[in-house]
Amino acid sequence: MTETDIMNLIRMNLSEAGFVVFRANVGKMKLPDGRWFDTGLPKGFSDLFAVKDGRIYFIEVKKPGGIARPEQINFISQMKKHGCIAGIAHSVEEAFKLVNAGS
């Protein structure tokens, strides 16, 4: 199962549980003049963010065995520092453990 497959399963399951879930789709593209355009989210921004009952959750999705980059770990740390629920999920079950920890 790919990271995208896991991400889509998490999105569907959290949505069914009443969360509003967004995918942070980022990337770069080369402009006609040769410069690169970056979509603008900070480096390390989590793959998914969700809201429910006034709380915000940031979920970095990894396939089993996948590890977060330093920028992703820093982003998660900063979000936690400011009272958000944030972490890494390798499965739908881990995503639910993460969001339930914030309940």
Side-chain angles (χ1 to χ4, degrees), residues 21-35:
V21 185
F22 301 92
R23 178 178 178 193
N25 205 4
V26 297
K28 291 183 181 185
M29 63 180 265
K30 197 169 193 177
L31 299 173
D33 65 3
R35 294 178 297 136

Side-chain angles (χ1 to χ4, degrees), residues 1 3-17 19 21 47-48 50 59-62 88-96 98-99:
M1 186 172 294
E3 217 166 83
T4 300
D5 294 335
I6 297 166
M7 188 181 322
N8 288 335
L9 286 171
I10 292 170
R11 288 170 59 202
M12 289 186 327
N13 281 270
L14 287 179
S15 293
E16 289 173 1
F19 290 82
V21 185
D47 295 312
L48 300 175
I59 305 168
E60 181 59 42
V61 179
K62 295 292 178 194
I88 300 167
H90 299 86
S91 65
V92 171
E93 294 77 19
E94 286 185 11
F96 271 100
L98 178 66
V99 299

Side-chain angles (χ1 to χ4, degrees), residues 37-87:
F37 173 76
D38 193 335
T39 57
L41 289 173
K43 287 194 182 299
F45 196 95
S46 294
D47 295 312
L48 300 175
F49 55 109
V51 290
K52 184 177 181 184
D53 300 328
R55 305 268 341 232
I56 188 163
Y57 306 84
F58 292 92
I59 305 168
E60 181 59 42
V61 179
K62 295 292 178 194
K63 63 183 178 181
I67 57 170
R69 295 188 321 272
E71 298 90 357
Q72 295 167 327
I73 293 168
N74 181 57
F75 181 83
I76 290 168
S77 174
Q78 291 300 312
M79 293 303 99
K80 286 180 176 181
K81 180 178 169 183
H82 291 283
C84 301
I85 304 301

